[in-house]
Amino acid sequence: MTSSHSTNATPVSNPYGHPLPSYLQADRLGPWGIYLQQVDRVIPYLGHLARWAETLKRPKRALIVDVPIELDNGTIAHFEGYRVQHNTSRGPGKGGVRFHQDVTLSEVMALSAWMSVKNAAVNVPYGGAKGGIRVDPKTLSRGELERMTRRYTSEIGIIIGPTKDIPAPDVNTNEQIMAWMMDTYSMNEGATATGVVTGKPVELGGSLGRREATGRGVFTVGVEAARHIGLDVGQARVAVQGFGNVGGIAAKLFAQAGARVVSVQDHGGTIYRDAGLDVPALLAHVAEVGTVAGFAHAEVIANELFWEVECDILIPAALEQQITAANAPRIKARLVIEGANGPTTPEADDILQERNILVLPDVIANAGGVTVSYFEWVQDFSSFFWTEDDINARLVHIMKEAFAGVWSVSQDKKVSLRTATFIVACTRILRARELRGLYP
Ligand code: NAD
């Protein structure tokens, strides 16, 4: 018996195996705990594959690395970095890298698990992985950021690679950081390996359309979901939390479709305009000053009021655990589209369901990014690059098909779209596990 089995901690619900090791039980109210609850909800629908469900509750591999760098002032700083490969049954690990002061192992484990589910939900041939560094990158100079990124890449270089695990951008990481990661890995390997990361600059084997892909996917499946509940997007009022890569692009596409984006919240504050914000002007403002705060053509409202803004569509596109039991009863929207990963707690999920508010879950709503990352990786391997029209058309096709499949499972089994997506995805993952069998 291993020491992990002799823990005295209360085991989480785990009908198919031994108690989970203590580090997997930690932080039950955090993202990993939320993920475990989501898995528990799906087990009754897995049929004979439930035998393998324990696989979903344990990351395959988790690496914690020390990332020391010399700061510009000559002192040495140490950062804690992580790379977690949750599951590789269906293909190499795939998932972003987050630089944020609140990153923890538990959070990265949850994000990696949601990547397994997401990649299976849209049926791209990947497992799930995620990485991060516990750092506020805004406190670093460009040189410090580059040194930290390169040292982190070198440290996780023992488990990543174009056929093993392929990182991508997430919160506070971007094309430049992917370029440094690609270069560092390539230097260590002695050969240029463009396929080791996605979300790279187009000049280095990045894909056209990748930057906008997650927001475009949010919009595409959002329109499908709205249609199913008789909501006309052209007339809709939309509120968006987070105005970065995901929220900013999603807002732009909804506004282009005729919707009124009435409120936007980011780390700097919350703005509101009943007649609809000028989204292109707001994007230009954020590009210049880094936040929606200070935008001249809007009122400022208290952050708490964001959750009760009169709207039809609410798009959380910032961080986890934003929609909670405290604010879910006040939400006015008919449709919540999860651009962010894990923005809704399970209690809030239940409240929204009781209130007949449709939640389009992260594991399908924001899968557009990884779908075009997959296209990027395929293009890198074949060294043949597609047109942007081609890419967008293929993205829309995959997203609509995935949504249709999930919608029909949710209708057949009378479950939420989240549980339906987990049923589709976990079935694919565990079927792959079953076919491969256990080694040795
Ligand atoms: P980003 O760094 O480009 O933008 C993050 C946004 O969130 C910014 O507008 C920031 O101001 C805002 N924000 C940060 N803290 C906040 C707070 N406390 N309150 C309100 N707003 C806050 O990040 P992104 O790439 O747009 O990612 C946003 C979310 O989408 C994350 O959950 C990420 O995991 C998820 N996601 C991103 C992608 C992608 O391709 N970029 C793909 C799938 C999922």
Side-chain angles (χ1 to χ4, degrees):
M1 185 183 260
T2 63
S3 60
S4 56
H5 287 153
S6 59
T7 173
N8 290 325
T10 316
V12 294
S13 162
N14 182 26
Y16 298 95
H18 299 289
L20 291 170
S22 58
Y23 71 96
L24 296 182
Q25 295 186 31
D27 195 13
R28 289 206 52 210
L29 299 175
W32 178 251
I34 290 175
Y35 165 75
L36 291 179
Q37 286 187 40
Q38 291 167 344
V39 172
D40 281 339
R41 285 180 183 196
V42 86
I43 287 176
Y45 299 96
L46 293 178
H48 77 282
L49 292 172
R51 174 170 178 252
W52 296 91
E54 192 68 14
T55 305
L56 300 168
K57 294 186 169 187
R58 298 164 189 255
K60 174 184 173 63
R61 188 178 284 133
L63 182 64
I64 304 177
V65 293
D66 175 37
V67 185
I69 62 160
E70 185 170 342
L71 298 178
D72 294 345
N73 66 10
T75 58
I76 309 294
H78 290 259
F79 301 98
E80 189 161 305
Y82 313 94
R83 185 73 191 173
V84 178
Q85 295 167 351
H86 171 261
N87 191 284
T88 56
S89 296
R90 301 179 61 259
K94 182 92 192 82
V97 174
R98 177 174 294 195
F99 291 172
H100 194 276
Q101 59 275 19
D102 298 333
V103 164
T104 60
L105 177 61
S106 151
E107 179 186 55
V108 178
M109 288 187 333
L111 291 166
S112 72
W114 284 322
M115 287 309 301
S116 301
V117 175
K118 187 181 307 179
N119 294 336
V122 288
N123 215 1
V124 293
Y126 290 133
K130 200 85 180 189
I133 305 183
R134 194 171 170 80
V135 61
D136 178 359
K138 293 185 190 73
T139 63
L140 299 181
S141 70
R142 184 182 162 90
E144 290 166 343
L145 186 64
E146 177 173 353
R147 293 197 288 284
M148 184 189 73
T149 302
R150 287 184 180 280
R151 181 61 189 252
Y152 167 72
T153 307
S154 210
E155 292 296 337
I156 65 167
I158 53 175
I159 61 167
I160 64 168
T163 57
K164 291 172 155 181
D165 178 4
I166 306 108
D170 191 68
V171 174
N172 292 330
T173 54
N174 57 22
E175 293 179 2
Q176 178 60 70
I177 285 168
M178 293 306 114
W180 290 329
M181 291 187 73
M182 190 279 267
D183 184 67
T184 305
Y185 181 85
S186 298
M187 289 296 116
N188 287 344
E189 290 291 302
T192 296
T194 52
V196 67
V197 291
T198 58
K200 299 179 294 293
V202 171
E203 298 87 331
L204 291 177
S207 179
L208 297 171
R210 172 61 185 90
R211 193 179 305 154
E212 297 208 327
T214 307
R216 189 174 295 281
V218 165
F219 173 73
T220 303
V221 287
V223 170
E224 292 297 298
R227 194 163 54 79
H228 278 88
I229 58 169
L231 179 61
D232 177 0
V233 165
Q235 303 292 320
R237 290 165 63 90
V238 179
V240 187
Q241 186 200 37
F243 206 66
N245 180 274
V246 180
I249 301 295
K252 184 174 93 175
L253 295 174
F254 273 102
Q256 279 172 0
R260 266 192 286 167
V261 177
V262 292
S263 186
V264 172
Q265 176 178 92
D266 76 358
H267 70 278
T270 308
I271 59 170
Y272 178 82
R273 185 164 184 263
D274 195 54
L277 296 157
D278 179 345
V279 174
L282 184 59
L283 285 165
H285 171 83
V286 171
E288 201 184 321
V289 304
T291 166
V292 300
F295 184 59
H297 315 286
E299 308 168 32
V300 175
I301 61 171
N303 283 339
E304 255 320 288
L305 292 181
F306 173 78
W307 302 107
E308 44 198 80
V309 159
E310 286 291 344
C311 63
D312 304 296
I313 300 176
L314 174 65
I315 308 177
L319 299 170
E320 298 93 67
Q321 291 176 272
Q322 298 299 302
I323 303 181
T324 63
N327 58 25
R330 290 182 278 139
I331 286 173
K332 304 280 198 309
R334 290 174 59 196
L335 172 62
V336 173
I337 311 173
E338 294 186 336
N341 286 309
T344 312
T345 66
E347 301 76 43
D349 234 355
D350 291 343
I351 294 169
L352 296 177
Q353 199 170 0
E354 274 160 29
R355 297 187 56 218
N356 210 15
I357 297 172
L358 184 65
V359 177
L360 189 51
D362 48 6
V363 277
I364 185 140
N366 68 31
V370 76
T371 301
V372 176
S373 274
Y374 165 56
F375 298 161
E376 179 175 333
W377 183 73
V378 169
Q379 292 171 83
D380 287 342
F381 269 114
S382 58
S383 296
F384 178 75
F385 291 86
W386 313 344
T387 66
E388 190 159 357
D389 284 349
D390 224 359
I391 286 158
N392 288 342
R394 288 175 199 248
L395 167 65
V396 167
H397 175 75
I398 287 184
M399 296 297 290
K400 283 189 174 174
E401 195 169 85
F403 177 83
V406 163
W407 182 267
S408 100
V409 169
S410 86
Q411 298 295 300
D412 281 359
K413 306 215 180 291
K414 307 211 177 341
V415 293
S416 68
L417 286 178
R418 190 182 318 278
T419 299
T421 311
F422 268 70
I423 292 172
V424 170
C426 295
T427 302
R428 285 184 181 142
I429 296 167
L430 298 182
R431 176 72 181 133
R433 178 73 276 159
E434 180 184 49
L435 283 167
R436 288 177 67 158
L438 281 184
Y439 174 85

